[in-house]
């Protein structure tokens, strides 16, 4: 491998938080037993929080963020991986407590890796990244957990909040592909056409779901994927029909949940928490293996912007302001 390579390093000295693209060498990489030449990484909401100030997730500085990456094994001391294996890494606290993928080379614990399915490219794997893996988990929960695991009725009408975001937009696409009528909830009217193009049947404004919630309201949806939490989730629960599942995944609009037991004990609604960070390798392999069947990559790629590490530094603050649409992937060779 080349002697020196490029990485995005964040650092903290007292109140002073810095982030810059630097040249480092292999001795800087301190964790793990598998060295990977990174092809692509991605920008998730959590990455943007870490790039801002470490988000209390990073415990030691200097640090290399980037919670996801795809690439090729260069050296391995792990029995499950060998040179030239093509891998995907998402979550597992990589980019938080361990060095992550905003680097041309990354070293991680091989137990965190899964082999990339042959029918996905490195780029497609990162177009999905944690957002895609999480959206797959949410869609399987909302639709298939009720229909197949709980042997419930068909799930037809579903709601996705934060629909133009990374998780939301991919969840819209998957649920639509699984045959659901998807209502996309978005705060920006300018996203309507895009959301329809990826499979949303109808659009609702976030503000329509940002009022004082009633304990129970008219049952409208068979299930929901909620990426924003807060008052919006409080308003979603009373509108879920009997036995519907709400996959709760994010907190962009707040962590507090103002609800009552009524949706749960009168309608049997289930609030199903999603954690993509600690998902088992077996489950990851299954979900990644389903991706190429459920994702329309040519369509998704229209909303993907490919950026460099340097461009990433300019873009992450706009994500925190809720002003980004679609996915940003980081090309480590750009
Ligand atoms: N549990 C897990 O394992 C897991 C995994 C991945 C992500 N997450 C969480 O899921 C959430 C979404 O992640 P992401 O990567 O998709 O982020 P993202 O791309 O920034 O999408 C979030 C979307 O939520 C909406 N939004 C943002 N701020 C809002 C606000 N104040 N009120 C209402 N809506 C707001 C926006 O959609 P519109 O413009 O359409 O309104 C935005 O595009 C984040 O909270 C993230 O931390 C959790």
């Amino acid at each position: 491998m080349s002697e020196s390579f490029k990485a995005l390093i964040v650092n903290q000295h007292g109140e002073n938080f810095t982030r810059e693209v630097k040249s480092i060498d292999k001795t800087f990489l301190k964790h793990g037993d598998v060295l990977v030449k990174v092809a692509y990484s991605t920008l998730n909401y959590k990455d943007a929080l870490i790039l801002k100030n470490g988000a209390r997730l990073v415990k030691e500085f200097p640090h290399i963020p980037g919670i996801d990456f795809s690439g090729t094994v260069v050296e391995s001391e792990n029995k499950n991986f060998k040179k030239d294996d093509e891998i995907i890494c998402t979550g597992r606290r990589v980019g938080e407590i361990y060095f992550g993928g905003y680097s041309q080379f990354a070293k991680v614990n091989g137990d965190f890796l899964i082999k990339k399915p042959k029918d996905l490219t490195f780029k497609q794997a990162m177009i999905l990244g944690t957002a895609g893996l999480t959206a797959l988990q949410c869609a399987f929960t909302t639709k298939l957990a009720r229909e197949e695991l709980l042997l419930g009725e068909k799930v037809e009408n579903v709601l996705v909040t934060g629909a133009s975001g990374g998780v939301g937009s991919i969840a819209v696409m998957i649920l639509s592909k699984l045959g659901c009528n998807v209502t996309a909830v978005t705060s920006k009217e300018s996203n309507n056409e895009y959301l329809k193009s990826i499979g949303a049947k109808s659009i609702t404004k976030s503000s329509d779901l940002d009022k004082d919630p009633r304990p129970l309201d008219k049952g409208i949806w068979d299930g929901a994927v909620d990426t924003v939490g807060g008052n919006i989730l409080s308003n979603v629960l009373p509108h879920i029909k009997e036995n519907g599942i709400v996959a709760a995944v994010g907190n962009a609009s707040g962590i507090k949940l103002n609800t009552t037991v009524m949706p749960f004990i009168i309608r049997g609604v289930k609030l199903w928490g999603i954690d993509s960070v600690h998902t088992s390798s077996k489950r990851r392999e299954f979900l990644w293996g389903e991706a190429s069947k459920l994702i329309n990559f040519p369509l998704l790629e229209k909303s993907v912007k490919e950026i460099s590490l340097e461009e990433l530094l300019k873009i992450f603050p706009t994500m925190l302001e809720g002003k980004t649409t679609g996915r940003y992937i980081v090309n480590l060779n750009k």
Side-chain angles (χ1 to χ4, degrees):
M1 64 172 282
S2 36
E3 283 302 299
S4 61
F5 54 89
K6 217 166 61 162
L8 194 162
I9 315 276
V10 294
N11 213 341
Q12 188 166 37
H13 295 289
E15 295 291 290
N16 188 24
F17 194 88
T18 58
R19 44 194 98 65
E20 58 184 322
V21 178
K22 277 184 155 177
S23 181
I24 58 168
D25 65 38
K26 208 167 71 166
T27 58
F28 192 90
L29 304 175
K30 55 185 179 185
H31 314 115
D33 54 6
V34 179
L35 183 71
V36 177
K37 182 176 189 318
V38 180
Y40 284 93
S41 184
T42 187
L43 175 62
N44 296 282
Y45 193 78
K46 191 191 262 182
D47 290 309
L49 291 171
I50 290 171
L51 286 167
K52 184 182 172 204
N53 58 13
R56 294 195 186 159
L57 296 168
V58 180
K59 304 295 178 206
E60 282 180 38
F61 295 94
H63 174 73
I64 303 176
I67 67 171
D68 301 335
F69 60 87
S70 60
T72 308
V73 172
V74 179
E75 293 168 12
S76 173
E77 289 167 25
N78 184 295
K79 65 177 179 359
N80 296 321
F81 292 90
K82 59 179 187 328
K83 189 172 177 311
D84 295 332
D85 280 347
E86 298 183 339
I87 60 85
I88 300 174
C89 182
T90 64
R92 305 281 198 181
R93 308 213 62 196
V94 168
E96 303 176 33
I97 53 178
Y98 308 111
F99 285 178
Y102 292 160
S103 173
Q104 290 180 311
F105 288 87
K107 203 171 174 201
V108 285
N109 181 341
D111 298 342
F112 297 168
L113 303 174
I114 69 144
K115 298 214 173 108
K116 180 180 73 58
K118 295 245 176 304
D119 57 7
L120 289 182
T121 64
F122 289 127
K123 183 171 168 176
Q124 287 170 336
M126 283 302 104
I127 287 174
L128 298 183
T130 283
L133 181 74
T134 309
L136 281 159
Q137 277 181 270
C138 292
F140 275 67
T141 298
T142 300
K143 179 152 171 77
L144 303 181
R146 168 166 143 178
E147 288 179 0
E148 291 177 16
L149 193 64
L150 306 177
L151 305 178
E153 300 80 24
K154 278 259 167 266
V155 174
E156 286 171 348
N157 300 308
V158 297
L159 187 77
V160 177
T161 67
S164 69
V167 178
S169 58
I170 302 171
V172 167
M173 183 176 270
I174 298 168
L175 285 163
S176 156
K177 177 83 180 176
L178 289 170
C180 298
N181 299 319
V182 182
T183 299
V185 182
T186 184
S187 48
K188 304 178 209 89
E189 217 176 307
S190 56
N191 287 332
N192 290 7
E193 279 312 304
Y194 164 67
L195 289 168
K196 290 210 166 142
S197 78
I198 59 170
K201 273 266 157 54
S202 51
I203 315 278
T204 291
K205 287 191 290 217
S206 301
S207 52
D208 292 346
L209 285 167
D210 200 357
K211 51 191 183 187
D212 282 340
R214 298 170 64 186
L216 274 183
D217 219 318
K218 187 178 173 208
I220 305 176
W221 297 291
D222 298 315
V225 171
D226 173 62
T227 73
V228 299
N231 205 37
I232 292 186
L233 177 56
S234 305
N235 276 282
V236 169
L237 291 167
H239 283 296
I240 301 298
K241 289 191 195 165
E242 283 74 15
N243 299 314
I245 296 178
V246 178
V249 63
N251 60 1
S253 106
I255 60 165
K256 290 241 168 81
L257 182 59
N258 171 17
T259 190
T260 71
V261 295
M262 300 304 268
F264 310 111
I265 63 171
I266 302 294
R267 294 200 182 139
V269 169
K270 285 148 196 72
L271 185 57
W272 193 307
I274 301 291
D275 165 23
S276 66
V277 175
H278 301 101
T279 309
S280 70
S281 296
K282 201 170 163 191
R283 199 159 154 70
R284 283 168 199 265
E285 277 159 17
F286 167 75
L287 290 165
W288 281 109
E290 295 296 297
S292 71
K293 293 175 229 159
L294 295 169
I295 307 287
N296 181 339
F297 282 105
L299 192 55
L300 200 54
E301 277 174 35
K302 286 187 190 158
S303 66
V304 170
K305 292 113 196 155
E306 194 169 316
I307 56 173
S308 64
L309 285 177
E310 290 80 1
E311 287 164 319
L312 176 63
L313 288 174
K314 296 190 193 118
I315 281 155
F316 83 87
T318 53
M319 175 174 266
L320 294 174
E321 290 164 20
K323 289 184 184 157
T324 49
T325 301
R327 295 282 288 156
Y328 285 87
I329 59 164
V330 184
N331 181 342
L332 272 302
N333 295 307
K334 199 173 169 194

